[in-house]
Amino acid sequence: MNTGVNTQEMMRILDSIARDRNIDRSVLIADLEQAMVSACRKFFSTLDAEEFACKVDPIAGSIQLYRHGQPLEMEPRDFGRIAAQTFKQVMIQRFRDDERMSILGEFTKRVGEIVTGTAQRYEGGSLIVTVDRAESFMPRSEQIPGEQFAAGDRVRCLILDVRDMGNQVKIVVSRGHPDFIKRLFEVEVPEVAERIIEIKAMAREAGYRTKIAVASIDSKVDAVGACVGVRGSRIKNIVDELNGEKIDIVRW
């Protein structure tokens, strides 16, 4: 079937969507086939889900439509306006669903990770932060009291929770959670990341002070000294990130 559109161009668009949105190319081709079938059903006003089929050649981009298993000699321009609109709506909806599933899969694996995002705006007290290609939100309860971000500011935060809300993925991030400080220590203090030093207990009053009890499994490593760093260098990086929140480190 000659589509009357540049099939190579269409495949290039699919490739760029697959790359930019991190969606499997074969999934997008299946979407294209499904949208074509929907347009056919609309054009012929049929409710039979099995009546039409579509095969897209993943290399050449050529499209073949079938009706009751027989090749259908029809081009998209023969469809008419209503069927073309159906095609477009189905494509947009399926692409959105695929992107949602892709984001859900990626971010579910990253719960508990520290990420750097970009502040967008405040909505009802929550800070909206773009992390990679997804929008996340930081409820007031997960913010550090008194901390304000302007649009475009870099925001380091912890991915706290990821939920599928049906039509969107809800990504909750935090700067007020005790685990945020725990992860900052893992970033700044290699011995904590390597589990030579264990954070045994911690209490945090976000924005004011945090108390951490540490222990070393290696008698040659001073747990408190390693967390503070040479002339306080390691702890200073963490305190700076927390805008001066006081951090007490004690031996367990």
Side-chain angles (χ1 to χ4, degrees):
M1 170 191 176
N2 171 18
T3 59
V5 282
N6 184 338
T7 51
Q8 293 305 114
E9 180 64 22
M10 186 176 68
M11 293 325 259
R12 270 201 296 275
I13 292 168
L14 275 191
D15 284 341
S16 79
I17 292 171
R19 201 173 46 247
D20 296 347
R21 306 288 186 178
N22 195 21
I23 302 170
D24 198 318
R25 185 175 184 267
S26 62
V27 172
L28 296 179
I29 287 174
D31 290 344
L32 185 60
E33 290 171 344
Q34 187 54 52
M36 276 290 185
V37 168
S38 298
C40 278
R41 286 173 61 192
K42 191 76 177 176
F43 183 76
F44 289 100
S45 302
T46 176
L47 296 173
D48 181 3
E50 305 297 314
E51 187 172 334
F52 296 98
C54 176
K55 192 87 192 93
V56 174
D57 184 312
I59 310 300
S62 56
I63 297 172
Q64 179 62 61
L65 286 165
Y66 299 90
R67 188 178 193 184
H68 300 304
Q70 298 303 310
L72 186 64
E73 292 311 316
M74 245 190 113
E75 296 188 9
R77 61 166 170 257
D78 301 334
F79 275 156
R81 196 170 54 84
I82 309 282
Q85 274 176 342
T86 301
F87 172 75
K88 194 173 168 186
Q89 282 163 355
V90 171
M91 278 301 273
I92 290 169
Q93 188 53 51
R94 289 184 72 99
F95 277 7
R96 276 192 192 138
D97 289 347
D98 290 340
E99 186 177 16
R100 185 172 57 80
M101 295 314 290
S102 166
I103 288 171
L104 183 66
E106 179 190 332
F107 279 88
T108 301
K109 293 200 285 268
R110 294 172 71 184
V111 169
E113 202 179 289
I114 279 193
V115 292
T116 301
T118 308
Q120 297 299 326
R121 63 194 178 278
Y122 281 93
E123 258 179 31
S126 291
L127 174 65
I128 308 299
V129 182
T130 303
V131 178
D132 294 341
R133 61 206 170 88
E135 218 173 59
S136 65
F137 85 110
M138 191 186 297
R140 194 174 272 148
S141 58
E142 296 301 335
Q143 294 169 28
I144 294 174
E147 202 173 59
Q148 280 289 118
F149 290 96
D153 283 356
R154 168 188 158 282
V155 183
R156 258 177 121 183
C157 49
L158 175 85
I159 297 179
L160 194 61
D161 189 24
V162 178
R163 273 173 291 193
D164 185 0
M165 305 301 282
N167 59 345
Q168 64 171 135
V169 178
K170 194 173 188 182
I171 301 167
V172 183
V173 292
S174 175
R175 282 175 61 79
H177 198 279
D179 280 357
F180 179 55
I181 293 188
K182 215 173 194 172
R183 294 282 176 266
L184 285 177
F185 270 95
E186 287 176 6
V187 171
E188 295 295 337
V189 185
E191 294 86 344
V192 174
E194 290 157 15
R195 305 283 184 263
I196 295 165
I197 292 173
E198 281 184 66
I199 295 174
K200 292 286 198 178
M202 68 185 295
R204 183 178 188 201
E205 199 181 339
Y208 304 102
R209 57 182 174 270
T210 291
K211 199 159 192 169
I212 294 182
V214 292
S216 171
I217 60 164
D218 183 341
S219 57
K220 294 193 287 293
V221 176
D222 169 19
V224 175
C227 288
V228 172
V230 180
R231 286 194 292 280
S233 56
R234 287 171 171 179
I235 198 75
K236 183 183 182 301
N237 289 341
I238 295 171
V239 170
D240 287 351
E241 177 61 55
L242 301 168
N243 298 318
E245 186 173 317
K246 288 181 178 59
I247 299 180
D248 292 330
I249 303 172
V250 296
R251 242 172 225 91
W252 172 250

